[in-house]
Amino acid sequence: MAQPPVTRSSSSLLRRKRIEIPSDTQGLRRVLGPASLIALGIGCTIGAGLFSLTGIAASENAGPAVVLSYIVAAIACGFAGLCYSELASMIPIAGSAYSYAYMALGEVVAWIIGWDLVLEYAVGAAAVSVSWSRYVASLLGSWGISLPPRLLASPFETVALPDGSHVAGLMNLPAAFIICVVSALLIRGVSESARVNAAMVVVKLAIIIAVVAFGVPYIKTANYIPFIPDNTGTFGHFGFSGIMRAAGTIFFAYVGFDAVSTAAQEARNPGRDMPIGILGSLLVCTVAYVLFSLVLTGLVNYKDMLGDAAPVATAIDQTPFAWLKLAVKFGIICGFTSVLLVLLLGQSRVFYAMSRDGLLPRLFASIHPTWRTPWYSNLLFMVLTGALAAFLPIDQLAHMTSIGTLLAFVIVCIGVMFLRHSAPDMERRFRVPGGPTIPILGIVCCMAVMLSLDGLTWVRLAVWLVIGMVIYFGYSRRNSHLAQDS
């Protein structure tokens, strides 16, 4: 296999890793087939973006036209997904966009995207756990069990007490709890985690089918009027800009196929299976998103979903099926759990890859002697992600995740074009058709959605990247394996 050139000079920020595929006896176990990879993608993609953020995006940005927002996001994801498929079939190792950037664009770009992915997965998992908490509270409430309101909200949210008074929340305890449980499962092993995820995906898809089938007869067509509410005069608040802002808000839901690519080193036949897992999961999820959001906004007026982190429970209350209400809440809780599992899996694999390359302390590349998992990475993010889940509200978490996802997609699209120039003879089990057209469209579409996000989200991303660059120049640059080998 032809190898692209690699710059070994320790003074170069653009030194690149040689493309070397680890043997099956090194590190992580290759235990995932195409069905497991598709299930991982669906498990991560169908979650908070559908079951929680649909209501927020509809009520604050797009109205019933949130359906169009999902289509806009899917188009951008489709272009990026094709690029991911080509790179994942070429470079079947852990680390996703980070590893691709290291081999295509150089170390400093790889560090930026790896650091960005750390934010993307950690904040995404925190957002999902907050929704998990809300649905658990709703399910328990159906059984007459009430959790303390102040232990279900962050300090930045106001909650109503039984006496009618309003106070600030303390922490979202159930959200932090589920992060700890899922992290423990991932430490135990990836094959066990994949089986649990597959079971939850079946439940989740069954719930989506049930909501669509039983909800359609109770749709109020008046809820679709106006389908695209007039812009209020502020960018992102309804109208076309609202559709784009909503696409940015829910975009992190599509992080699923990125998470699939992080598990490339654990795929049995990555050259064949990775494109199937990435594109298959994206197709299934896009159809589910469009149908589900159409039914949801037909059952509940978008204005009534303002601030509702559990809009599906609200929508099901519009039907007379008591059993369906409980089944949907239980299914959604299972669905969120599978999302958390895949996000935290991807998180630890990116950190593992960065540590393996010397950009982070070697501790995080340590593999458990029995379970063969990067357990120190799992433990670290159990603490960090649990803290984010406990102390930040869901809308801020979602925006932070979306911009990180979009940046990763842009860099992957650039990487495809660069590797075609620098390594034209490398075997590509899957090749994006149309030359540079699709990667360029992916870059344009993802940048357009990024630009629709609010300024504060951009500021947070900039601050995070500045922190990352301080760490890179203070530690990673001189401890990189490429620097040590020069």
Side-chain angles (χ1 to χ4, degrees), residues 406-423:
L406 287 158
L407 180 58
F409 290 179
V410 168
I411 291 179
V412 165
C413 293
I414 294 172
V416 164
M417 294 189 293
F418 194 90
L419 278 178
R420 285 185 177 177
H421 173 74
S422 63

Side-chain angles (χ1 to χ4, degrees), residues 107-138:
E107 186 173 278
V108 71
V109 179
W111 170 263
I112 290 171
I113 196 60
W115 190 246
D116 169 67
L117 287 171
V118 169
L119 175 70
E120 173 188 327
Y121 284 117
V123 179
V128 173
S129 68
V130 172
S131 289
W132 184 94
S133 173
R134 300 284 175 86
Y135 276 99
V136 166
S138 178

Side-chain angles (χ1 to χ4, degrees), residues 38-339:
I38 290 176
L40 282 176
I42 296 173
C44 185
T45 305
I46 297 181
L50 183 64
F51 296 136
S52 289
L53 291 181
T54 299
I56 293 173
S59 62
E60 297 182 2
N61 306 118
V66 71
V67 174
L68 302 181
S69 301
Y70 277 115
I71 294 174
V72 169
I75 291 171
C77 284
F79 295 139
L82 288 167
C83 294
Y84 264 94
S85 296
E86 178 169 325
L87 294 183
S89 67
M90 286 174 61
I91 314 170
I93 62 175
S96 180
Y98 158 77
S99 295
Y100 308 150
Y102 210 158
M103 296 174 183
L105 303 173
E107 186 173 278
V108 71
V109 179
W111 170 263
I112 290 171
I113 196 60
W115 190 246
D116 169 67
L117 287 171
V118 169
L119 175 70
E120 173 188 327
Y121 284 117
V123 179
V128 173
S129 68
V130 172
S131 289
W132 184 94
S133 173
R134 300 284 175 86
Y135 276 99
V136 166
S138 178
L139 180 62
L140 293 176
S142 302
W143 296 335
I145 302 172
S146 297
L147 299 177
R150 299 191 73 187
L151 295 181
L152 292 171
S154 76
F156 300 98
E157 297 173 285
T158 301
V159 297
L161 298 180
D163 62 5
S165 61
H166 290 78
V167 296
L170 293 176
M171 64 177 297
N172 197 323
L173 188 59
F177 167 77
I178 191 58
I179 292 290
C180 294
V181 171
V182 172
S183 296
L185 177 61
L186 286 169
I187 291 172
R188 180 63 181 82
V190 68
S191 58
E192 292 83 356
S193 300
R195 284 193 290 269
V196 172
N197 175 71
M200 290 187 288
V201 164
V202 170
V203 173
K204 181 160 50 178
L205 291 177
I207 290 302
I208 291 174
I209 293 170
V211 170
V212 172
F214 289 100
V216 165
Y218 298 93
I219 287 176
K220 303 178 183 67
T221 54
N223 288 333
Y224 293 134
I225 302 173
F227 188 71
I228 305 178
D230 292 335
N231 183 264
T232 62
T234 303
F235 184 91
H237 291 275
F238 306 107
F240 175 76
S241 67
I243 293 172
M244 295 300 293
R245 174 68 60 81
T249 298
I250 53 89
F251 201 91
F252 95 93
Y254 285 102
V255 73
F257 68 80
D258 178 276
V260 172
S261 70
T262 67
Q265 199 169 324
E266 291 154 284
R268 287 198 294 264
N269 185 357
R272 180 200 67 187
D273 297 344
M274 294 308 298
I276 294 174
I278 291 170
L279 298 176
S281 60
L282 179 60
L283 176 62
V284 171
C285 294
T286 298
V287 172
Y289 275 9
V290 170
L291 292 177
F292 199 86
S293 58
L294 191 63
V295 172
L296 188 67
T297 53
L299 289 173
V300 182
N301 189 280
Y302 71 93
K303 297 177 182 177
D304 296 331
M305 291 189 279
L306 185 64
D308 188 356
V312 182
T314 303
I316 293 302
D317 288 340
Q318 309 303 310
T319 73
F321 307 110
W323 65 269
L324 182 60
K325 297 174 186 177
L326 291 177
V328 165
K329 291 174 184 177
F330 177 76
I332 290 174
I333 290 167
C334 289
F336 282 153
T337 306
S338 70
V339 176

